[in-house]
Amino acid sequence: MFSIDGVTYPHLRVTGFEQSFEVLDKDSKRSLAGNLNRNIIGTYYNYKIKIAPEKSLAGMQEYSKLWWVCSTPQDSHTLVVPMDCDSSGGVHTTRTFKAYITSGKRGMEKYNYNGTDYWGAGEFTFISMDKAR
């Protein structure tokens, strides 16, 4: 399950999914003795998602829409992504959160083939704006 800003893309497939986390500090300081005193604000989950379009006109149209949405200069998007587990460690679920998009890339496979450009799988990087924990 993947959606962005409430829109799903039935002609696109998630082909790769990389999740990372950052435990962020507000203002950590070292004491004179050299010990680090952390002021932790939370854990943030970030995602690198590979998406491939169906090799059809509908797939290419949806992919162009997704590319346009992701490359729009705006503060954030609402994402729904798969989450392998909750805090108990065993329940497959989804996660809804606000994220900003730092980058995307894709490569063209066929230019103007029967009036349509065909793109290969692309990669999009989403950075969470909401702490998860």
Side-chain angles (χ1 to χ4, degrees), residues 20-40:
S20 62
F21 71 86
E22 293 183 70
V23 178
L24 297 180
D25 300 308
K26 182 178 178 196
D27 54 4
S28 298
K29 296 180 182 176
R30 292 211 179 267
S31 69
L32 290 176
N35 298 319
L36 181 65
N37 297 309
R38 296 181 72 188
N39 186 1
I40 297 172

Side-chain angles (χ1 to χ4, degrees), residues 46-132:
N46 304 314
Y47 299 88
K48 206 174 264 189
I49 302 174
K50 290 183 182 177
I51 298 173
E54 287 179 359
K55 302 300 182 194
S56 66
L57 180 58
M60 293 304 121
Q61 289 172 335
E62 280 187 10
Y63 202 35
S64 291
K65 288 178 187 176
L66 177 68
W67 185 263
W68 191 258
V69 167
C70 289
S71 64
T72 299
Q74 68 184 62
D75 290 339
S76 67
H77 297 274
T78 301
L79 289 160
V80 178
V81 297
M83 187 74 170
D84 63 342
C85 62
D86 61 12
S87 61
S88 68
V91 178
H92 286 268
T93 185
T94 59
R95 178 166 180 259
T96 303
F97 66 104
K98 284 177 56 177
Y100 63 94
I101 301 169
T102 60
S103 63
K105 64 180 180 178
R106 63 182 179 170
M108 184 176 287
E109 293 180 347
K110 293 180 185 177
Y111 173 73
N112 198 18
Y113 180 76
N114 293 330
T116 302
D117 296 333
Y118 285 82
W119 293 91
E123 185 175 276
F124 302 84
T125 303
F126 301 94
I127 305 299
S128 179
M129 297 179 75
D130 299 333
K131 70 179 179 179

